[in-house]
Amino acid sequence: MEDAEYDSKYKSYTTQVEKVLKQFESPRGWADLCAYLSKLKRILQSNAKYQLIPKKLLIAKRLSQCLHHALPSGVHLKTLDVYVLIFKRIGMERLSRDLSIYSMGLFPLVGHSAMSVRPKLLGIWLWFT
């Protein structure tokens, strides 16, 4: 009985993540991206009991898109907040397996990040390596 409850709650969690990720497909501007990132972060925070992140490939893709060089540093900082939340949640062992998924957005950011973003980005690298 507990397994079925766990599964239904995780499915609900996955559905919430899918809905917010769908919104990333049609932003009208960078402010929309900030709103979507906030929603994603809230969903992840409210489901903290789950170490597994649903739709991790799509999440990584959307986070990577939010680190595009044409977007303002505020979007980059919000995106890095979500990365930190995910990395803390999944732990070092799982991060070592999934680093290739999440790094596709992080590594290119160094070359074009604003000075206000670099300390947070470097902090992530130092914290999780």
Side-chain angles (χ1 to χ4, degrees):
M1 191 73 156
E2 290 177 14
D3 288 341
E5 182 178 296
Y6 175 84
D7 287 343
S8 66
K9 288 181 180 179
Y10 189 79
K11 286 179 185 177
S12 173
Y13 172 33
T14 301
T15 301
Q16 292 173 21
V17 169
E18 288 172 339
K19 285 180 183 178
V20 75
L21 291 174
K22 184 77 172 155
Q23 293 177 324
F24 279 90
E25 294 176 9
S26 56
R28 285 182 235 120
W30 62 264
D32 288 344
L33 293 175
C34 286
Y36 305 153
L37 287 165
S38 293
K39 285 181 189 178
L40 179 60
K41 185 177 178 183
R42 219 174 11 257
I43 291 167
L44 294 171
Q45 287 172 329
S46 67
N47 291 281
K49 65 181 177 180
Y50 301 113
Q51 189 178 16
L52 292 175
I53 304 294
K55 305 295 180 184
K56 66 183 175 184
L57 290 172
L58 189 53
I59 287 176
K61 179 180 177 181
R62 297 298 180 228
L63 292 177
S64 178
Q65 291 170 339
C66 290
L67 295 177
H68 189 274
H69 65 85
L71 294 170
S73 61
V75 177
H76 295 165
L77 289 169
K78 278 197 168 292
T79 304
L80 293 176
D81 287 341
V82 177
Y83 273 110
V84 168
L85 178 65
I86 290 170
F87 293 171
K88 286 182 178 178
R89 174 79 50 78
I90 65 176
M92 294 301 286
E93 184 179 326
R94 186 164 279 127
L95 178 58
S96 67
R97 286 182 281 168
D98 293 345
L99 188 59
S100 63
I101 295 168
Y102 294 110
S103 65
M104 68 180 156
L106 287 173
F107 292 136
L109 181 61
V110 170
H112 64 264
S113 63
M115 291 303 289
S116 61
V117 174
R118 288 181 184 176
K120 186 165 197 110
L121 181 59
L122 294 174
I124 290 171
W125 287 352
L126 292 174
W127 184 267
F128 295 103
T129 56

